Amino acid sequence: MGAYIVRRLLLIIPTLLGIMIINFTLTQFVPGGPVEQIIAQMQGEGDVFETIAGGATETRGNVALGDNALSTKYIGARGLPEEFIAELEKQFGFDKPPLERFLNMMWNYIRFDFGESYFRSEKVLSLVWDKLPVSITLGLWSTLIAYLVSIPLGIRKAVKDGSRFDTWTSALIIVGYAIPGFLFAILLLVLFAGGSYWQIFPLRGLTSSNWEELSLLGKVGDYFWHITLPVLASSISGFATLTLLTKNSFLDEIKKQYVITARAKGLSERRVLYGHVFRNAMLIVIAGFPALFIGIFFGGSVIIETLFSLDGLGRLGFEAALARDYPIIFGTLFFFGLIGLLIGILSDLMYVFVDPRIDFDVRET
């Protein structure tokens, strides 16, 4: 197992490097870079994309085209001194060739120096740290709720396969899966957050304004009071896949010979189900917990965060992409890419934990 872990850890280096190279290369051809954003704001145009649509004959974002290309490089910059444009490029580091910028960036990232946001005047790590509570809240609780509901439901559906219970629960699951998370969030707001009916839950934030004045028990209650609606909205579509995966895993195991033998020996159905079937059937479900959590954690819905006025990583990434805030984009991409690859290794270790018979070092000959 140790050799397998070492191989996987070594594979992280080329994988992460490939991710960064592809994304860095793509940004060199995307119009509307940070310099153009600044110019658009100075010209009072508000949005750089309006000027891009105005007819740039050759717009290449941050790729230097030469001093004589100012009129086509930055549409809207005509009339601004070339020295000022050069100073902006130097400030953002775009006076250097792309290869040199990429190598400098990777050297800093290796030392976990992710730089400072172009437009927020704050360290990238500090920004990510400030947004983590929201993303952890949505990711962790949505994953836990999905498992706590889906596993018992999936087992019940497997035991009652083909019954009325199996049929109508399948229908409900499919309907829930078909409803977009943001639409369900709007429905919850309308019904329970003072939209048109009941004012039961708060409309925004993770905590109340008087959070510091509350007792420990009051803080816990206030926290769960705030997260109820956004967590429900973000987890609604996760039930279907996990429930059906649990059901199918149990159905496959129930039909195997060892289950028939256990029943023939006179073991109770509960003993057979939870003493023998459960461990084998839940292997793929339990081992997938880290991957599911990290998927919800990274892929938190921007719309849900916006609807509930939650300032999480989803909104941070979306706003950084719009503003072409490259330190945030590349810094979070590197950091979360590294975490995602490590979580992949953790998922494999979960397989071994659930079923020690698995050995990744064994090779077929």
Side-chain angles (χ1 to χ4, degrees), residues 146 173 176-181 184 231-242:
I173 289 173
Y177 184 74
I179 298 177
F184 187 62
V231 167
L232 286 177
S234 62
S235 61
I236 183 64
S237 61
F239 294 122
T241 302
L242 194 55

Side-chain angles (χ1 to χ4, degrees), residues 86-155:
E87 184 63 29
L88 277 180
E89 290 183 335
K90 184 176 180 180
Q91 179 181 346
F92 289 119
F94 298 143
D95 57 327
K96 300 180 177 65
L99 179 59
E100 183 180 349
R101 286 190 280 119
F102 177 77
L103 294 177
N104 289 337
M105 180 183 72
M106 294 305 299
W107 172 244
N108 291 330
Y109 287 177
I110 291 173
R111 297 177 294 163
F112 288 93
D113 178 10
F114 298 105
E116 185 176 295
S117 168
Y118 286 155
F119 304 106
R120 295 172 182 253
S121 299
E122 192 173 349
K123 293 289 186 181
V124 172
L125 278 181
S126 177
L127 285 169
V128 171
W129 185 256
D130 290 340
K131 315 301 180 185
L132 272 180
V134 171
S135 297
I136 291 177
T137 292
L138 293 179
L140 180 60
W141 290 113
S142 297
T143 305
L144 287 177
I145 290 176
Y147 269 82
L148 291 175
V149 173
S150 298
I151 290 178
L153 180 59
I155 295 173

Side-chain angles (χ1 to χ4, degrees), residues 7 57 70 78 113 153 235 296 308 330 345 351:
R7 288 196 301 269
T57 58
L70 181 61
R78 304 182 187 95
D113 178 10
L153 180 59
S235 61
I296 298 177
F308 291 100
F330 291 127
I345 300 176
Y351 280 102

